[in-house]
Every structure is written in structure tokens, then in C-alpha cells.
Amino acid sequence: MKKLVFLLFIASFSVVSSQNQKLTPTKIDFIRFDGDAFLGYDSFGFYYTIKNNVFSKISKRDTLEYKNISLGKITTVDLQNPLKIVLFYENFNSVIVLDNQLNETQKINFSDHTIPIVASAIGIASQNQLWIYNTMNQQLGLYDYLGNNYKTISVPFTENIKNYSSDFNVFHWIDNKNNWYVCDIFGKIISMGIIPDYDFVTIINENQFLYSKNSILILEDVEKGKKTEIEISEKTFKKFCYKDQILSIFTSAGITNYKITIP
């Protein structure tokens, strides 16, 4: 009997421990910043911001800027390819493509296309294409920005998009019921499960995502069924970014960068 009680105690302790796992990243540096949005880093060490609707690329030595008053407010920025940065201006149904010096290389107005397109989500895809969620038919499509060709690839979405991200091969989105889906470039859609209630979320891959709620940062691994709290020194923050094992915490004072190894 004593042995059984002891085993039950060990088992319950193990469950509690697994539910309260924590990960402490290593602080790298702090950057003073008073802009409106911090967008993250590229692989060359530049970081990107928006202040007063001016898009900036910043290093220790240089600052490059791009602004386009005629298109209104920048909705989103895709930084996957630092040589082809994609700025989306939803109110004008337009996209600007910039090179690494923030020179405008392409301006795309989807309203001019022969196929009716009203974009509400944009991301860079493979083979000179853009992911487009077209609200006209509530379907995901691919737009060839060199050939000016557009094709619908998915079935209509049943719920509105609450949050989305993409890479060259897949498009992730979370709907307004917190259902998480992923679609590949062939239009195959897979349901990934339900995301917990969150303030901000970043999809890392098809198994892992980071989310914050009330300034508590959690890493969740769907495949392993595991949640890990990320211990940072900031008690409150505006937003966070994660890319290539760099976790950036955006507060009213500036940006704190951490090195983090995702298990």
C-alpha cells in the first residue's frame, strides 16, 4: 500500500512538472525604439520598423526608408526574402515590392486585374508568386507577379481570417473561432487544431507556435502535446517577434532581443 501511494505521488508530481515546464532564453541586447511597429530581423542583421507610416531598414551604420503617401497606411510587411520585400496596402488593394535598398521594383494594383480580386491577406510564395486571400470569393489564390497571372487554389473558407502567416510553400491561418489551418501551393488544406485564446501569436512550423496572453509567453508543441512557458524579464510588452532562434520583445521603451533554442 505504501509503495502504491509513493508511485501515485511520483506520477502526480511528474504530471505537474510537465504542465509547468519553463524555458529561459539568453538576453542578447536592447535597442531603444519609439516607433509604431517592430517587424523583426533578416538574416543579414538588419531590423525593420514602421513609424508614422514610414517603413525603415536599420543597421548599426545605416538607415534606409520607404514611404508611399498615395497608398495610405501599410497593412502588413513580408520579410521572408530581404531581396524582395512585400508591402501590402489593403485600403488601396495594392502591393509594393522593394529590393534590398528599398527601391520600388514593382507596384501591383489588384483592382486592375481582369479577374476580380479584393485582397485581405498577402504573403510571398515560391516561383515569383504571392499568396492572396481574395474576399470576392473567400478563397486562397496564387498571383504570378511577373506574368500577371492569378489562379484560385482553395475551396471557400467557412470563417473569416483572424491571423495569418506564410512561407514560400504553405499558408497558415487562424479563423475567428481560433481554428488553425494550413494550405500548400496545390490547394490542399489541413486542419491543425485549435489555438488557445491569445493576444499575439506566431506560427513557427506545422507543429509549433508561440503565443502570448496577458504578457505571458507560451510555446506550444502540438505533436508532443506540450506547453512551455518562456521566462522573460519584461512584465508587460506590446508585441513579440520570433525568427531563426531570435525572440524580440517590443515594449514602450524599446526592443529586447533574446537567443532562444526551441526544443
Side-chain angles (χ1 to χ4, degrees):
M1 185 66 181
K2 288 183 178 180
K3 185 175 181 181
L4 177 61
V5 171
F6 177 74
L7 289 174
L8 289 172
F9 173 77
I10 293 297
S12 63
F13 179 78
S14 299
V15 170
V16 171
S17 297
S18 65
Q19 291 176 344
N20 291 277
Q21 296 182 71
K22 294 186 178 182
L23 179 63
T24 304
T26 303
K27 187 178 292 187
I28 300 172
D29 58 15
F30 175 81
I31 301 170
R32 295 199 175 277
F33 172 65
D34 63 349
D36 302 318
F38 175 76
L39 305 174
Y41 287 87
D42 65 22
S43 55
F44 302 103
F46 290 91
Y47 67 94
Y48 298 82
T49 67
I50 297 174
K51 182 178 181 180
N52 298 326
N53 209 36
V54 177
F55 174 65
S56 299
K57 176 180 179 178
I58 303 169
S59 70
K60 293 180 179 179
R61 296 182 179 180
D62 301 303
T63 297
L64 302 174
E65 295 183 345
Y66 175 83
K67 59 181 177 181
N68 193 319
I69 299 173
S70 65
L71 292 179
K73 187 177 179 180
I74 300 169
T75 305
T76 59
V77 179
D78 191 311
L79 299 171
Q80 287 184 82
N81 184 349
L83 305 179
K84 291 182 180 180
I85 299 169
V86 177
L87 274 60
F88 176 40
Y89 295 82
E90 184 173 1
N91 290 341
F92 283 79
N93 202 27
S94 296
V95 156
I96 298 293
V97 181
L98 305 175
D99 65 15
N100 63 336
Q101 296 299 306
L102 302 196
N103 298 309
E104 187 177 305
T105 59
Q106 278 185 298
K107 181 178 179 180
I108 305 165
N109 186 342
F110 298 117
S111 300
D112 294 336
H113 202 275
T114 53
I115 298 175
I117 299 172
V118 177
S120 63
I122 292 288
I124 194 167
S126 61
Q127 300 175 343
N128 299 313
Q129 298 181 110
L130 295 174
W131 298 101
I132 298 179
Y133 178 67
N134 187 358
T135 58
M136 293 290 290
N137 56 13
Q138 297 182 308
Q139 291 173 282
L140 192 64
L142 287 170
Y143 175 79
D144 180 345
Y145 54 84
L146 294 183
N148 193 30
N149 297 315
Y150 176 77
K151 61 181 179 181
T152 297
I153 63 169
S154 79
V155 298
F157 290 11
T158 57
E159 300 288 341
N160 292 327
I161 294 177
K162 180 180 177 181
N163 188 284
Y164 72 92
S165 64
S166 62
D167 60 30
F168 296 111
N169 299 308
V170 295
F171 182 93
H172 296 267
W173 77 96
I174 301 166
D175 68 19
N176 54 9
K177 293 183 177 179
N178 280 16
N179 296 302
W180 171 22
Y181 298 94
V182 61
C183 180
D184 65 20
I185 58 174
F186 304 106
K188 181 181 179 181
I189 296 175
I190 299 174
S191 174
M192 307 303 294
I194 298 177
I195 301 286
D197 188 30
Y198 63 87
D199 296 321
F200 305 104
V201 64
T202 294
I203 305 296
I204 299 174
N205 54 47
E206 294 180 24
N207 295 316
Q208 297 174 312
F209 59 92
L210 274 168
Y211 71 97
S212 64
K213 183 64 179 178
N214 299 324
S215 292
I216 296 175
L217 192 57
I218 303 292
L219 167 67
E220 183 159 342
D221 191 309
V222 176
E223 187 178 44
K224 297 177 181 177
K226 179 180 175 183
K227 291 186 179 182
T228 304
E229 182 178 342
I230 310 299
E231 291 191 305
I232 54 177
S233 57
E234 291 75 19
K235 302 303 179 185
T236 61
F237 54 88
K238 292 183 178 181
K239 200 173 180 181
F240 71 88
C241 294
Y242 171 81
K243 184 179 180 181
D244 299 334
Q245 300 186 2
I246 301 296
L247 174 66
S248 303
I249 306 297
F250 178 25
T251 69
S252 56
I255 310 299
T256 304
N257 294 304
Y258 294 88
K259 175 70 173 180
I260 181 171
T261 301
I262 300 295

